[in-house]
Amino acid sequence: MPSISLKNVSLSFPIYDSESRSLTQSFSKLLPVGGVVQRKKGQRTSILALDDITATFNDGDRVAVIGHNGAGKTSLLKLLAGFYEPTSGRLVTEGKAATLINLMAGLDINLNGYENILLCGMLFGLERQVVMDRMDEIAAFSELGDYLGMPVRLYSSGMVLRLAFSICTSINCEILLLDEWIGAGDKAFIEKTQQRLNELVFNSTIMIFATHNPDAARKLCNKAIYLSHGRLLKSGSVEEVLAFEHETRDQTPQS
């Protein structure tokens, strides 16, 4: 039975000094926006992205992750996806997860579309033959036609999104990790993406959905959690958590 369990989970990222400039610049691309800066005497400065999170998600849970920019929403999704390991605490995930966070992760711009379908499919944990069996379906959904035989570096940004979305959403999953509702590509393609996303949500056993949109949270989710500066401050029904967010925002002093 698919499930996710976090017990006292924290996630922090070290900040390197100016003498390690190249490493700092490289690593900074992976850092989440926001988080609490920690400066302890005799230790390296770090950003605390998630702070002592305890939560359990089970079969049938559709969970909206709500909070301000930098609250830790995307960091939580990336942790659940396996992009990061907890700095402390325990994370146990049962079930196959599909991640719609960074759609273009794993794409190689020097390979053509077909080669990227194979590469990314295998990076997502599918066997080579499974990807090959789905190749025609993924290619047809992308509507990229002859461009699939060309290097991705020649694609427009919209075409890259079409390819990435077609690959990512072709994977059957039990756990769906979704960062905002996605409209990929041009206007004619958006309706197809919405239908595909609706199918993914319906077929998944557990969904974790990071969003700023209360209407989307109400429509798609039956539970919610509220994050602030990496801490889980409230969990419950969507309406309870949205009300808590509203109260918290109203109590925040205005500058």
Side-chain angles (χ1 to χ4, degrees):
M1 185 75 68
S3 65
I4 302 171
S5 174
L6 302 96
K7 186 173 182 179
N8 304 119
V9 168
S10 294
L11 176 67
S12 62
F13 301 94
I15 303 299
Y16 296 90
D17 59 28
S18 58
E19 294 178 0
S20 303
R21 183 178 303 275
S22 60
L23 184 57
T24 303
Q25 291 174 343
S26 176
F27 196 79
S28 66
K29 296 176 183 178
L30 303 176
L31 289 175
V33 176
V36 177
V37 177
Q38 293 183 311
R39 295 184 177 92
K40 295 182 180 180
K41 188 174 181 180
Q43 298 182 19
R44 191 181 302 279
T45 299
S46 63
I47 291 180
L48 184 62
L50 298 173
D51 185 6
D52 197 31
I53 302 288
T54 295
T56 301
F57 308 120
N58 294 307
D59 186 2
D61 285 346
R62 301 284 188 268
V63 184
V65 184
I66 296 167
H68 55 80
N69 289 330
K73 299 186 299 297
T74 300
S75 294
L76 177 61
L77 290 185
K78 289 184 176 181
L79 182 80
L80 298 178
F83 294 170
Y84 304 137
E85 291 287 337
T87 306
S88 62
R90 178 175 170 80
L91 168 64
V92 179
T93 302
E94 299 288 344
K96 183 175 179 58
T99 306
L100 299 184
I101 303 173
N102 181 355
L103 289 180
M104 289 172 280
L107 286 179
D108 186 331
I109 63 171
N110 293 312
L111 299 180
N112 67 33
Y114 292 114
E115 292 167 335
N116 270 290
I117 292 172
L118 181 59
L119 171 65
C120 292
M122 294 177 69
L123 286 175
F124 291 147
L126 299 179
E127 295 182 0
R128 180 186 180 90
Q129 189 56 51
V130 172
V131 182
M132 295 302 296
D133 290 342
R134 297 182 185 177
M135 184 73 73
D136 289 344
E137 176 190 343
I138 297 170
F141 188 88
S142 75
E143 299 179 352
L144 290 173
D146 292 341
Y147 278 98
L148 288 168
M150 300 180 184
V152 169
R153 66 174 181 271
L154 302 178
Y155 291 14
S156 68
S157 58
M159 292 166 67
V160 174
L161 276 172
R162 280 177 177 247
L163 176 63
F165 183 89
S166 301
I167 297 170
C168 290
T169 58
S170 69
I171 300 170
N172 298 323
C173 67
E174 296 166 310
I175 300 170
L176 178 62
L177 306 172
L178 181 62
D179 197 357
E180 287 293 358
W181 203 239
I182 304 166
D186 55 43
K187 193 171 182 179
F189 198 63
I190 290 177
E191 186 175 338
K192 284 183 64 173
T193 68
Q194 298 300 314
Q195 182 179 349
R196 174 67 70 90
L197 283 169
N198 284 329
E199 291 171 359
L200 279 176
V201 170
F202 180 79
N203 292 326
S204 62
T205 303
I206 299 172
M207 182 185 71
I208 313 294
F209 174 38
T211 183
H212 290 284
N213 187 329
D215 291 333
R218 291 185 179 100
K219 177 182 177 181
L220 297 172
C221 302
N222 54 24
K223 294 183 178 181
I225 62 175
Y226 178 76
L227 297 181
S228 179
H229 302 292
R231 294 188 64 85
L232 197 165
L233 299 186
K234 179 70 175 178
S235 62
S237 70
V238 174
E239 291 302 334
E240 288 172 338
V241 173
L242 287 174
F244 179 83
E245 178 194 32
H246 184 74
E247 292 169 4
T248 302
R249 185 171 61 244
D250 286 348
Q251 293 170 6
T252 302
Q254 299 298 313
S255 58

